[in-house]
Amino acid sequence: MNENIKQSSLWIIHRCAFPIARMSFGILLLAFNLFLATEWGATAVSHFCFKGSPYAHKVRISLNAALGDQAYVWDECEQFYFQATVAYGMRKSMNKPFNVSDVHICAETKRISFYFVVTNSSDLSKPLPKTAVEEAIRMVRPRFNNAFSLDDRTLEFLGIEPTLAPHSEPSVMVWLIVFGVIMGLIVVGLIAITIIGHRDKIKKTRASKERDEENEDKSLSGIENGISCNPLDGTEGHKNEALYPDDKLTQL
Amino acid sequence: MAARNENARVSDETNDVLKEGRPKWDNKFQYILSCVGFAVGLGNVWRFPYLCQAYGGGAFLIPYLIALVFEGIPLLHLELAIGQRLRRGSFGVWNSISPYLGGVGIASMLTSFLMMLYYNTILAWVLWYFFHSFEEPLPWKNCPLNNNKTGFIKECEESTAVDYFWYRETLNISPEIITSGDRQQWWLVLCLFAAWLIVYCCVLRGIESLGKVVYFTATFPYLVLLILLVRGLTLPGAIHGLTYLITPDLNVLRQPRVWLDAATQIFFSLSLGFGGLIAFSSYNSPKNNCEVDAVTVAVINSLTSIFASVPIFSLLGFKAMTAYWDCLDKNILLISNEFEIQDGNVTRENYFTWLDDLNATHCDTISALTLKNCVLKDFLDQSTSGTGLAFIAFTESIIRLPVSQLWAILFFIMLFNLGLSSMFGNVEGILTPLLDLNMFPKCVPKEIITAIICLVSFSIGLIFTTTSGNYWLTIFDNYGTAFPLLVIAFFEFIGVIYVYGINKFSDDLEFMTGRRPNLYWHVTWRFISPLLLFSVFLAFVTVQVQHHLSYEAWNPNYVEFPKKEKKEYTSWVEFICMFLATLPLIPIPLTALYHLIRSKFRRDSQRAENPVDNLAFQL
């Protein structure tokens, strides 16, 4: 009997325990590997995501300056949104299936500034060169700004200058229009003044002609024997300078 | 016998006046408004506030008022009285007093002409800005983009958008006064033409048209100043600007330069010596109280200057405040970015405490940052006068106001009206003597003569529309008018008080106003004012001669750009300066000489004539 128990337990150990042990050892190894891999992956990312890295872009966000009282809090969800938007930009620009996990953020500060690196989806160890990222960001910049209710000034990508909006150029037309209006008014005014003045002049000459005729009648009524009695009425007369020394001229 | 003679002379002259057909003012109010409009000009808005602030604020009023009482009012009364009595333009008046003094009248006319030439260019600039005030946004608000749209134009970035608009887009200024390829700028020619057309339209029929236009041009600026006053006082920083203006610094009065500037400011502000005031008063009826008129006009002019300083300095204070805030904001941004402080933690109020703390701990990093030293007083000190005030400083404060177009339009209409009413006086100062001289045949109507004058002035004024036009304008302003006016005014005193005779003048004043001039007038006319004028003239010449004839040029290639480059005039430009300063004065000795020679000839031939020839019997 004892020999049977001994034999069966040996069989159990041989048949079950070893595989279980092997399995758990395998599981442990796998877990260890994975752990190492993520650790290694993380360190791999931190190789190229740090301040001053040739692959990392610095982002600076000024929420209070942009939104004042209505500023939202910059938390993990916002960070996720940021990563998603960058991934969207990369997809649009390079037509490759980028994921949120391909965008890595590091060195966050309270200022709300951080660095980000974009890696190739297939190979975690290969960060994309800066130029590719720049091109993508530039392409979707307006959408990016809108996504966060910010603008070029409050959402800064250091190193990626925003292309300036083309200024509307109606300037030449507007001032010329105003000039034309003013000139038109002046010309109309000039013509009006000239016409009114001409009319007044004609009226005045007509009125003075009638007055002259009246004067002639008056002086003519003084004629009785052909000699007009009031020769000096209608004319100016000469001042007798000998009697009134005009001291406006130099004294004698 | 003498009394009967006198009565006969008086009634005879009144009859002459009634038969003369000389145009006259519709009512006294028109006349006063025209004189006030002539006196109140651009200088009241952009020169007096600057002088007030530069020379110790409230303390400047002391030399200013002294100059007003002892120099301004006496000369003003003299001009108005003599014009009203002798009923002629400037040349006719001086010719009547003594043919030897006729040159003074011609000098006045020439000075008025020189002034007309360049003053209307300033109005053309005001029109240009006015036309652009209808744009949204205002063109001097933003720098234009460069060709490949990657940034702003370099010249604009290094200076400011306002500077760029003034120096490049308006003036298109050359880096020096003599440049090759100096062309007329078409847009300035258009604006100058518009300005002259407006002036012509208003003075077309002499004082008949002028008198009606002046109701608007002389009163509207006051309305705008009131509106700007109310708006300005509600702005942040206005109080700082005003305290800066008013704070009296009595030590400043020890500098002789202050007294000289006060005297010249009063003198030029009242527009004395141009002959315009004589022309205006010659259209009055002989029995008009010119004494009260003179005091009224002078007091209104000075009060306007003081009143205008308030809105001007409120707005300049606002501009300084916003510039100070911008400076602080830039520094705050630099600090926040460098030390990764959450944005919004460093505000304008606690900036300095933050700075002190950071300086204590991270001294090196702070000094590595290019932080500007922001002091409000520095920004307040950046005040200017003249075109710089209107077209640079004021426009900059306007763009920061909401609804900037409205303020810009109001401001430039006000400036235009101020300048226009001064132009009227200048044009009348030339027209009235010309018409009195009967230089043109009777068939040529007044309108054609006015048109010829305006056309000639416009053609010569095209000089100022070139790329170096602004430099020439400064020359004309400094040398063409300032210097001759002092000499003319001096001769005016001598001519009326000593040649015409103070007793005769007092009789005339009694006839016109009903009472003889009191002690104040006697003392100032006879001694104080001529002496004061003479010393001002000497001081003026000394100061001008001492500082080298130089000018400040806007040169984008200058090392210290945007600071202006100081350049000296070439020798033939200096010659032109001298020529301009003495040209109006040449007629004075020339006319005296001419009459001397003529009277010698006449004395020789007069012995043959009958001195008691009764011309009445020559039929």
Side-chain angles (χ1 to χ4, degrees), chain A residues 171-203:
Chain A
S171 13
V172 182
M173 291 320 295
V174 175
W175 84 264
L176 278 177
I177 292 173
V178 182
F179 171 75
V181 165
I182 304 271
M183 287 295 272
L185 284 173
I186 300 171
V187 168
V188 163
L190 258 176
I191 296 175
I193 292 179
T194 325
I195 293 179
I196 293 176
H198 196 61
R199 230 185 320 145
D200 282 345
K201 215 190 267 180
I202 293 177
K203 256 194 246 167

Short mmCIF file of all heavy atoms in Angstrom, two decimals, chain A residues 171-203:
data_model
loop_
_atom_site.label_atom_id
_atom_site.label_comp_id
_atom_site.label_asym_id
_atom_site.label_seq_id
_atom_site.Cartn_x
_atom_site.Cartn_y
_atom_site.Cartn_z
N SER A 171 -7.46 99.13 -48.12
CA SER A 171 -7.14 100.48 -47.66
C SER A 171 -7.18 101.52 -48.76
O SER A 171 -7.71 102.59 -48.58
CB SER A 171 -5.78 100.51 -46.99
OG SER A 171 -5.10 99.33 -47.27
N VAL A 172 -6.60 101.20 -49.91
CA VAL A 172 -6.52 102.23 -50.94
C VAL A 172 -7.92 102.68 -51.33
O VAL A 172 -8.19 103.86 -51.50
CB VAL A 172 -5.79 101.69 -52.19
CG1 VAL A 172 -5.68 102.77 -53.23
CG2 VAL A 172 -4.42 101.19 -51.81
N MET A 173 -8.83 101.76 -51.42
CA MET A 173 -10.16 102.10 -51.89
C MET A 173 -10.89 103.00 -50.92
O MET A 173 -11.49 103.98 -51.30
CB MET A 173 -10.97 100.83 -52.12
CG MET A 173 -10.49 100.00 -53.26
SD MET A 173 -10.00 100.99 -54.67
CE MET A 173 -11.55 101.72 -55.12
N VAL A 174 -10.83 102.67 -49.62
CA VAL A 174 -11.66 103.41 -48.67
C VAL A 174 -11.31 104.87 -48.64
O VAL A 174 -12.17 105.74 -48.71
CB VAL A 174 -11.51 102.80 -47.25
CG1 VAL A 174 -12.26 103.62 -46.23
CG2 VAL A 174 -12.02 101.38 -47.25
N TRP A 175 -10.00 105.16 -48.58
CA TRP A 175 -9.67 106.57 -48.43
C TRP A 175 -9.94 107.34 -49.70
O TRP A 175 -10.33 108.51 -49.67
CB TRP A 175 -8.23 106.76 -47.92
CG TRP A 175 -7.12 106.74 -48.91
CD1 TRP A 175 -6.34 105.68 -49.25
CD2 TRP A 175 -6.65 107.85 -49.68
NE1 TRP A 175 -5.41 106.06 -50.18
CE2 TRP A 175 -5.57 107.37 -50.45
CE3 TRP A 175 -7.02 109.19 -49.78
CZ2 TRP A 175 -4.86 108.19 -51.32
CZ3 TRP A 175 -6.31 110.01 -50.65
CH2 TRP A 175 -5.24 109.50 -51.41
N LEU A 176 -9.79 106.68 -50.82
CA LEU A 176 -10.10 107.36 -52.07
C LEU A 176 -11.60 107.65 -52.18
O LEU A 176 -12.01 108.68 -52.71
CB LEU A 176 -9.64 106.53 -53.27
CG LEU A 176 -8.17 106.68 -53.61
CD1 LEU A 176 -7.80 105.77 -54.75
CD2 LEU A 176 -7.84 108.11 -53.96
N ILE A 177 -12.39 106.73 -51.65
CA ILE A 177 -13.84 106.95 -51.67
C ILE A 177 -14.20 108.18 -50.85
O ILE A 177 -14.94 109.06 -51.29
CB ILE A 177 -14.58 105.72 -51.13
CG1 ILE A 177 -14.41 104.55 -52.09
CG2 ILE A 177 -16.05 106.02 -50.94
CD1 ILE A 177 -14.97 103.25 -51.57
N VAL A 178 -13.64 108.26 -49.64
CA VAL A 178 -13.94 109.42 -48.79
C VAL A 178 -13.45 110.70 -49.46
O VAL A 178 -14.14 111.72 -49.46
CB VAL A 178 -13.26 109.26 -47.40
CG1 VAL A 178 -13.61 110.41 -46.51
CG2 VAL A 178 -13.68 107.96 -46.77
N PHE A 179 -12.26 110.62 -50.05
CA PHE A 179 -11.71 111.77 -50.77
C PHE A 179 -12.65 112.21 -51.87
O PHE A 179 -12.96 113.40 -52.02
CB PHE A 179 -10.34 111.38 -51.33
CG PHE A 179 -9.74 112.38 -52.26
CD1 PHE A 179 -9.20 113.55 -51.78
CD2 PHE A 179 -9.71 112.15 -53.64
CE1 PHE A 179 -8.64 114.48 -52.64
CE2 PHE A 179 -9.15 113.07 -54.50
CZ PHE A 179 -8.62 114.23 -54.00
N GLY A 180 -13.14 111.22 -52.64
CA GLY A 180 -14.05 111.55 -53.73
C GLY A 180 -15.31 112.22 -53.22
O GLY A 180 -15.80 113.21 -53.80
N VAL A 181 -15.84 111.71 -52.11
CA VAL A 181 -17.07 112.28 -51.55
C VAL A 181 -16.85 113.74 -51.15
O VAL A 181 -17.63 114.64 -51.48
CB VAL A 181 -17.54 111.45 -50.34
CG1 VAL A 181 -18.56 112.18 -49.53
CG2 VAL A 181 -18.08 110.11 -50.80
N ILE A 182 -15.75 113.98 -50.43
CA ILE A 182 -15.47 115.35 -49.98
C ILE A 182 -15.27 116.28 -51.16
O ILE A 182 -15.81 117.40 -51.18
CB ILE A 182 -14.22 115.37 -49.07
CG1 ILE A 182 -14.39 114.42 -47.91
CG2 ILE A 182 -13.90 116.76 -48.62
CD1 ILE A 182 -15.03 115.02 -46.70
N MET A 183 -14.52 115.82 -52.16
CA MET A 183 -14.28 116.66 -53.34
C MET A 183 -15.58 116.98 -54.05
O MET A 183 -15.82 118.11 -54.48
CB MET A 183 -13.34 115.94 -54.33
CG MET A 183 -11.92 115.88 -53.87
SD MET A 183 -11.18 117.50 -53.75
CE MET A 183 -10.57 117.71 -55.40
N GLY A 184 -16.43 115.97 -54.14
CA GLY A 184 -17.74 116.19 -54.77
C GLY A 184 -18.53 117.27 -54.04
O GLY A 184 -19.08 118.18 -54.67
N LEU A 185 -18.53 117.18 -52.71
CA LEU A 185 -19.26 118.17 -51.92
C LEU A 185 -18.70 119.58 -52.16
O LEU A 185 -19.46 120.55 -52.31
CB LEU A 185 -19.15 117.84 -50.43
CG LEU A 185 -20.02 116.69 -49.94
CD1 LEU A 185 -19.67 116.37 -48.49
CD2 LEU A 185 -21.48 117.04 -50.05
N ILE A 186 -17.36 119.67 -52.20
CA ILE A 186 -16.75 120.99 -52.37
C ILE A 186 -17.12 121.56 -53.73
O ILE A 186 -17.46 122.75 -53.85
CB ILE A 186 -15.21 120.91 -52.27
CG1 ILE A 186 -14.80 120.38 -50.91
CG2 ILE A 186 -14.59 122.25 -52.50
CD1 ILE A 186 -13.33 120.09 -50.85
N VAL A 187 -17.03 120.71 -54.76
CA VAL A 187 -17.32 121.21 -56.11
C VAL A 187 -18.77 121.68 -56.19
O VAL A 187 -19.06 122.75 -56.75
CB VAL A 187 -17.01 120.12 -57.16
CG1 VAL A 187 -17.57 120.49 -58.50
CG2 VAL A 187 -15.52 119.90 -57.26
N VAL A 188 -19.67 120.89 -55.59
CA VAL A 188 -21.08 121.30 -55.59
C VAL A 188 -21.23 122.64 -54.87
O VAL A 188 -21.93 123.55 -55.33
CB VAL A 188 -21.94 120.20 -54.91
CG1 VAL A 188 -23.28 120.74 -54.52
CG2 VAL A 188 -22.09 119.02 -55.83
N GLY A 189 -20.54 122.78 -53.73
CA GLY A 189 -20.60 124.03 -52.98
C GLY A 189 -20.08 125.20 -53.79
O GLY A 189 -20.68 126.29 -53.80
N LEU A 190 -18.96 124.97 -54.50
CA LEU A 190 -18.38 126.03 -55.32
C LEU A 190 -19.36 126.50 -56.39
O LEU A 190 -19.58 127.69 -56.59
CB LEU A 190 -17.12 125.51 -56.02
CG LEU A 190 -15.78 125.91 -55.43
CD1 LEU A 190 -14.66 125.23 -56.17
CD2 LEU A 190 -15.60 127.41 -55.50
N ILE A 191 -19.95 125.50 -57.07
CA ILE A 191 -20.88 125.85 -58.15
C ILE A 191 -22.05 126.63 -57.57
O ILE A 191 -22.48 127.66 -58.12
CB ILE A 191 -21.37 124.57 -58.87
CG1 ILE A 191 -20.19 123.90 -59.56
CG2 ILE A 191 -22.45 124.91 -59.87
CD1 ILE A 191 -20.53 122.58 -60.19
N ALA A 192 -22.55 126.17 -56.40
CA ALA A 192 -23.70 126.84 -55.78
C ALA A 192 -23.36 128.29 -55.44
O ALA A 192 -24.12 129.21 -55.73
CB ALA A 192 -24.13 126.09 -54.52
N ILE A 193 -22.18 128.47 -54.84
CA ILE A 193 -21.78 129.84 -54.45
C ILE A 193 -21.64 130.72 -55.68
O ILE A 193 -22.08 131.89 -55.68
CB ILE A 193 -20.44 129.81 -53.66
CG1 ILE A 193 -20.63 129.14 -52.32
CG2 ILE A 193 -19.93 131.21 -53.46
CD1 ILE A 193 -19.37 129.06 -51.51
N THR A 194 -21.02 130.16 -56.75
CA THR A 194 -20.84 130.98 -57.95
C THR A 194 -22.18 131.39 -58.53
O THR A 194 -22.39 132.56 -58.88
CB THR A 194 -20.05 130.18 -59.01
OG1 THR A 194 -19.10 129.37 -58.38
CG2 THR A 194 -19.37 131.11 -59.97
N ILE A 195 -23.12 130.44 -58.61
CA ILE A 195 -24.42 130.76 -59.20
C ILE A 195 -25.15 131.80 -58.36
O ILE A 195 -25.67 132.79 -58.87
CB ILE A 195 -25.28 129.48 -59.33
CG1 ILE A 195 -24.65 128.54 -60.35
CG2 ILE A 195 -26.69 129.83 -59.72
CD1 ILE A 195 -25.39 127.25 -60.52
N ILE A 196 -25.15 131.59 -57.03
CA ILE A 196 -25.85 132.54 -56.15
C ILE A 196 -25.21 133.91 -56.27
O ILE A 196 -25.90 134.94 -56.35
CB ILE A 196 -25.80 132.05 -54.68
CG1 ILE A 196 -26.62 130.77 -54.53
CG2 ILE A 196 -26.33 133.11 -53.75
CD1 ILE A 196 -26.55 130.17 -53.14
N GLY A 197 -23.86 133.94 -56.29
CA GLY A 197 -23.17 135.23 -56.40
C GLY A 197 -23.50 135.93 -57.70
O GLY A 197 -23.74 137.14 -57.73
N HIS A 198 -23.55 135.15 -58.80
CA HIS A 198 -23.87 135.73 -60.10
C HIS A 198 -25.26 136.32 -60.09
O HIS A 198 -25.50 137.44 -60.55
CB HIS A 198 -23.74 134.62 -61.16
CG HIS A 198 -23.67 135.15 -62.55
ND1 HIS A 198 -22.65 135.96 -62.98
CD2 HIS A 198 -24.50 134.97 -63.61
CE1 HIS A 198 -22.84 136.27 -64.25
NE2 HIS A 198 -23.95 135.69 -64.65
N ARG A 199 -26.19 135.56 -59.50
CA ARG A 199 -27.58 136.04 -59.42
C ARG A 199 -27.67 137.31 -58.60
O ARG A 199 -28.36 138.26 -58.96
CB ARG A 199 -28.46 134.95 -58.81
CG ARG A 199 -29.70 134.72 -59.67
CD ARG A 199 -30.68 133.76 -59.08
NE ARG A 199 -30.13 132.61 -58.44
CZ ARG A 199 -30.67 132.02 -57.36
NH1 ARG A 199 -31.75 132.52 -56.83
NH2 ARG A 199 -30.12 130.96 -56.83
N ASP A 200 -26.95 137.34 -57.47
CA ASP A 200 -26.97 138.54 -56.62
C ASP A 200 -26.42 139.73 -57.36
O ASP A 200 -26.92 140.85 -57.24
CB ASP A 200 -26.13 138.31 -55.35
CG ASP A 200 -26.88 137.47 -54.34
OD1 ASP A 200 -28.10 137.32 -54.51
OD2 ASP A 200 -26.25 136.98 -53.39
N LYS A 201 -25.35 139.47 -58.13
CA LYS A 201 -24.73 140.57 -58.85
C LYS A 201 -25.71 141.16 -59.86
O LYS A 201 -25.85 142.38 -59.99
CB LYS A 201 -23.47 140.08 -59.57
CG LYS A 201 -22.36 141.13 -59.61
CD LYS A 201 -21.23 140.73 -60.51
CE LYS A 201 -20.15 140.02 -59.77
NZ LYS A 201 -19.03 139.62 -60.63
N ILE A 202 -26.42 140.27 -60.60
CA ILE A 202 -27.37 140.75 -61.59
C ILE A 202 -28.46 141.56 -60.90
O ILE A 202 -28.85 142.64 -61.36
CB ILE A 202 -27.99 139.57 -62.38
CG1 ILE A 202 -26.92 138.90 -63.23
CG2 ILE A 202 -29.14 140.03 -63.24
CD1 ILE A 202 -27.40 137.69 -63.99
N LYS A 203 -28.93 141.06 -59.75
CA LYS A 203 -29.96 141.80 -59.00
C LYS A 203 -29.45 143.16 -58.59
O LYS A 203 -30.16 144.16 -58.68
CB LYS A 203 -30.34 141.00 -57.75
CG LYS A 203 -31.67 140.29 -57.85
CD LYS A 203 -32.14 139.80 -56.49
CE LYS A 203 -32.16 138.28 -56.48
NZ LYS A 203 -32.30 137.70 -55.17
#
